Amino acid sequence: MKQDFKPLLAKVEHAYHIIGKKWVNLIIHVLMEGPKRFSELHAIIPDLSKRMLNERLKELEECGLLNRVVIPDRPVKTEYSLTEKGQELGAALCHVEVWAMKWL
């Protein structure tokens, strides 16, 4: 019996589209350590511009990979953390990190 792989391939292609964007993997890697504020993320990944960091965070939130929580202190703080979906992706990307350490 021939199986239709189109739905599977479409999902795999969409996943690679998300993780293939520059900086996404590093942002997820940093957030695997726990919630971070915008300024903390920028300090940890200084080559990433604030504009691009903001853009990537919005994209990851839209994909359901991270949560954005506004803390109504003075001054107002925004904290980012991975969702369960983001944590699972981060765990999968850890295998890529192991491969990179071994082969690159």
Side-chain angles (χ1 to χ4, degrees):
M1 182 165 79
K2 186 178 178 182
Q3 186 176 357
D4 185 11
F5 288 102
K6 283 186 178 183
L8 172 65
L9 293 176
K11 287 185 176 192
V12 171
E13 182 178 9
H14 185 70
Y16 279 117
H17 175 74
I18 293 167
I19 63 175
K21 291 185 177 183
K22 191 169 184 176
W23 305 111
V24 165
N25 297 313
L26 285 176
I27 294 168
I28 291 172
H29 174 80
V30 170
L31 290 174
M32 287 291 287
E33 298 171 1
K36 301 279 186 279
R37 293 193 324 266
F38 186 92
S39 59
E40 292 174 306
L41 287 167
H42 188 257
I44 294 169
I45 314 171
D47 291 340
L48 173 56
S49 72
K50 289 180 180 180
R51 183 190 63 77
M52 183 58 68
L53 175 57
N54 189 51
E55 184 177 315
R56 291 295 181 251
L57 290 172
K58 284 181 182 177
E59 291 169 353
L60 292 172
E61 184 180 12
E62 289 171 3
C63 292
L65 295 171
L66 67 83
N67 289 316
R68 178 181 179 267
V69 177
V70 177
I71 303 165
D73 283 345
R74 290 186 192 238
V76 174
K77 297 176 185 174
T78 305
E79 189 173 79
Y80 298 90
S81 62
L82 293 174
T83 62
E84 181 181 354
K85 182 177 174 181
Q87 288 283 343
E88 285 190 28
L89 177 57
L93 292 174
C94 284
H95 295 290
V96 175
E97 292 172 24
V98 170
W99 177 86
M101 296 303 291
K102 181 176 180 179
W103 294 103
L104 299 180

